[in-house]
Amino acid sequence: MQMHTVKVHPSKALLPREEQLAWKIAGVATDKVAVEKAVSAMIINRIIDNAAVAIAAINRRPVVSARGMALGHKKKEGGATVFGMPAGTTVSPEWAAWANGTAVRELDMHDTFLAADYSHPGDNIPPVLAVAQAMGRSGRDLIRGLATGYEIHINLVRAICLHEHKVDHIAHLCPASAAGIGTLLGLKQEVIFQSVQQALHTSISFRQSRKGEISSWKAYAPAHAGKLAVEAVDRCMRGEGAPSPIYEGEDSVIAWVLAGRTQADSKGRKTVYDPDYYQVPLPALGEPKRAILDSYTKEHSAEYQSQALIDLAFRMREDITDWDSIEKIIIHTSHHTHYVIGTGANDPQKMDPKASRETLDHSIMYIFAVALQDGSWHHVDSYAPKRAGRADTVRLWHKIETREAPEWTERYHSKDPDTLAFGGRVEILFKDGTKKVDELGVANAHPRGAKPFGRADYIRKFLTLTDGIITPREANRFIEAAEGVLSLKAGELSALNVALPKGTLAESKPGIF
């Protein structure tokens, strides 16, 4: 890997494009290095994973609404498929990216990568796949495009923290998807360069979408980024340009929104050109794109930082027969977990039994209480209003607090894969003065966990989540197509769609489209 220093430059410096991060990203996208077998295999796993969570959410209101909007943009030819619909029904690719991206994100149960920032790199799959279908590309083309999307997304997340500046993490997703589409289509570096810049420029939004009363926009946000990426590439293929340099410019994202803004606020705007703000790792020319292998999926439908703690709750519940015997539960965990999904967020909604599913999904207090009581986690039942409002659960839930522990924050940010951890240490204090203490660093499904996910687990997850929604024949057909994606010829990628039986798809309320 090569490290690329990113800082802010005055306009008069006329920073050469060869020194700009967006140009270097485009260089990675145009590199024709072969995709390794292990990478191709993991991409196939994630294609299966995305379809699983999308179909499980297929008739939830946000997904129904997104699908209804997409179906207002049908194409007779040259379109892309929409999850749930027959493969012969196609829409404009940016709208397929919107509908399918929303379906994938709705249950918050697909893959994740955590470093300087948060990410769900599987969000690259819907826009890249949609363009691949619309442009008649092959399975091998798709795999190459997705390898780039994952590589750029994960490496931006390794280096550039967005959340400390209250910027939502789709600002890394959109440029990555644009780069992935560029690889897929074999575009020139100049076109991808402009596309990456347009993608970043149009995708800056803020973390209020994950704060307070979290709405359905949490599912729409990455889908919106995918849609923007498709549109950005389309414009640039037609010869249009973008604000440049988008990362390093005098009035750029870094200068006025990210670390440059912090520098200017503390030491004056004139000092914004002084620091080196970020070191972004990117593969050298000819170096394989392997970043996807550092990411991990979810076994449980909840915020990733709760995955290990759910597994820990399952382990700690043994021998506890009376929930009211518990005086207090303290979760010692990382800064991120404490302030994003813990009591450090200071969100009263995270303790509210009437909160939305999206909010409960971001309350480790609620999640740990239910996991402790039930010894299981279900993507629907564990969030049901009746379940959230159960009196003994509410009592237990309100006895839970999180505390930031420096050692867990350090492990969360560790660059050593052997010490990297996203869990915590839990103390259960009982009214009789006894206590129970245990800790878990990574989820069971993590590559270093007790039961790392392999192909059989991804297929099991797909079959479990789609059971009763699609026919066994359709499930088997899709799995066969996904596992054989490298054999799919140009124009055959509609095989990666998953269709529901006729008459079982919910219809959205009418809108403009």
Side-chain angles (χ1 to χ4, degrees):
M1 298 292 280
Q2 293 182 336
M3 302 301 292
H4 300 278
T5 301
V6 183
K7 61 184 300 179
V8 174
H9 297 264
S11 297
K12 64 183 180 182
L14 299 176
L15 183 66
R17 61 176 50 184
E18 292 78 13
E19 297 180 22
Q20 297 176 29
L21 179 59
W23 181 262
K24 295 171 182 177
I25 288 171
V28 174
T30 56
D31 187 1
K32 298 187 183 300
V33 62
V35 180
E36 294 181 343
K37 288 184 178 180
V39 172
S40 294
M42 188 58 73
I43 291 173
I44 291 169
N45 287 343
R46 303 304 168 75
I47 290 172
I48 295 170
D49 203 45
N50 268 22
V53 297
I55 297 305
I58 202 70
N59 280 327
R60 292 176 62 84
R61 194 198 70 248
V63 181
V64 173
S65 296
R67 182 169 62 247
M69 296 172 72
L71 291 174
H73 299 81
K74 287 184 180 178
K75 297 273 286 185
K76 290 185 178 179
E77 57 183 36
T81 60
V82 176
F83 276 134
M85 300 295 297
T89 300
T90 60
V91 302
S92 191
E94 76 277 20
W95 285 101
W98 166 257
N100 295 337
T102 303
V104 167
R105 189 70 181 88
E106 165 66 11
L107 288 180
D108 201 352
M109 202 178 172
H110 60 323
D111 67 14
T112 302
F113 180 76
L114 304 172
D117 209 78
Y118 319 107
S119 67
H120 297 283
D123 290 332
N124 285 281
I125 295 176
V128 178
L129 175 57
V131 174
Q133 290 177 335
M135 300 295 283
R137 290 313 200 256
S138 70
R140 289 188 178 275
D141 294 331
L142 174 65
I143 294 295
R144 289 186 58 80
L146 291 176
T148 292
Y150 269 87
E151 189 71 32
I152 299 306
H153 195 175
I154 288 172
N155 286 321
L156 287 172
V157 171
R158 292 187 204 273
I160 301 177
C161 183
L162 299 170
H163 71 87
E164 68 176 311
H165 308 288
K166 310 308 177 187
V167 174
D168 197 20
H169 55 61
I170 66 166
H172 288 330
L173 167 64
C174 198
S177 293
I181 293 168
T183 296
L184 167 82
L185 298 179
L187 302 179
K188 292 182 178 180
Q189 189 168 357
E190 165 68 21
V191 177
I192 301 175
F193 168 59
Q194 300 294 355
S195 300
V196 166
Q197 294 193 110
Q198 277 207 21
L200 175 60
H201 181 70
T202 58
S203 64
I204 299 296
S205 60
F206 297 94
R207 286 196 63 83
Q208 190 60 42
S209 62
R210 299 164 202 284
K211 186 77 173 177
E213 185 175 351
I214 302 175
S215 73
S216 58
W217 184 253
K218 184 170 73 74
Y220 286 126
H224 187 229
K227 180 174 181 289
L228 291 173
V230 176
E231 294 169 344
V233 176
D234 181 87
R235 286 190 292 269
C236 294
M237 287 175 68
R238 300 174 190 274
E240 302 308 316
S244 181
I246 195 60
Y247 286 100
E248 302 93 345
E250 184 174 313
D251 289 339
S252 66
V253 172
I254 292 175
W256 282 94
V257 181
L258 303 182
R261 177 61 180 268
T262 303
Q263 170 73 14
D265 287 349
S266 63
K267 297 186 178 180
R269 175 54 54 181
K270 290 182 180 180
T271 71
V272 75
Y273 308 113
D274 297 340
D276 293 342
Y277 292 111
Y278 304 108
Q279 297 289 328
V280 180
L282 292 173
L285 183 65
E287 183 177 358
K289 302 175 177 70
R290 307 186 79 249
I292 189 175
L293 300 179
D294 292 332
S295 60
Y296 21 83
T297 195
K298 295 180 178 181
E299 184 173 8
H300 313 297
S301 178
E303 167 73 22
Y304 192 82
Q305 293 160 103
S306 67
Q307 298 293 301
L309 292 169
I310 291 174
D311 290 333
L312 183 57
F314 295 165
R315 193 162 79 191
M316 295 187 76
R317 70 187 303 272
E318 295 179 11
D319 304 324
I320 302 177
T321 56
D322 180 7
W323 306 115
D324 288 326
S325 69
I326 296 173
E327 180 72 29
K328 180 185 287 189
I329 298 177
I330 304 170
I331 302 174
H332 302 272
T333 188
S334 68
H335 177 278
H336 282 3
T337 304
H338 174 56
Y339 285 103
V340 175
I341 63 173
T343 49
N346 293 317
D347 280 349
Q349 294 93 338
K350 294 187 189 301
M351 308 300 283
D352 183 358
K354 296 182 180 180
S356 67
R357 182 197 190 278
E358 292 80 5
T359 297
L360 296 177
D361 166 74
H362 278 57
S363 170
I364 190 57
M365 294 73 68
Y366 173 75
I367 291 168
F368 194 84
V370 173
L372 194 67
Q373 288 187 321
D374 294 356
S376 62
W377 195 262
H378 190 271
H379 62 285
V380 176
D381 297 346
S382 295
Y383 293 106
K386 185 177 180 180
R387 183 69 194 81
R390 211 172 83 185
D392 65 326
T393 299
V394 175
R395 289 195 301 272
L396 180 61
W397 172 8
H398 289 184
K399 295 174 182 177
I400 301 174
E401 66 177 76
T402 63
R403 295 179 185 174
E404 181 185 356
E407 64 272 22
W408 286 99
T409 296
E410 183 179 351
R411 292 186 67 185
Y412 188 102
H413 292 293
S414 175
K415 302 253 191 279
D416 180 355
D418 292 330
T419 59
L420 185 68
F422 310 111
R425 179 172 61 88
V426 174
E427 292 181 281
I428 301 178
L429 310 178
F430 295 92
K431 292 177 180 178
D432 64 5
T434 62
K435 66 180 179 179
K436 196 169 190 176
V437 182
D438 202 353
E439 65 178 55
L440 188 63
V442 295
N444 291 340
H446 188 275
R448 289 189 291 109
K451 299 176 181 178
F453 253 46
R455 176 64 56 79
D457 298 294
Y458 285 97
I459 291 175
R460 174 177 50 79
K461 181 177 175 181
F462 176 85
L463 294 175
T464 299
L465 292 181
T466 62
D467 183 41
I469 302 176
I470 62 175
T471 65
R473 180 178 180 179
E474 176 68 354
N476 292 332
R477 183 208 61 77
F478 168 76
I479 292 170
E480 182 179 356
E483 291 197 290
V485 65
L486 288 169
S487 300
L488 293 178
K489 296 181 175 59
E492 294 182 346
L493 289 176
S494 61
L496 297 180
N497 185 54
V498 180
L500 264 67
K502 187 176 181 180
T504 59
L505 272 179
E507 295 186 9
S508 73
K509 294 180 180 179
I512 294 173
F513 302 121

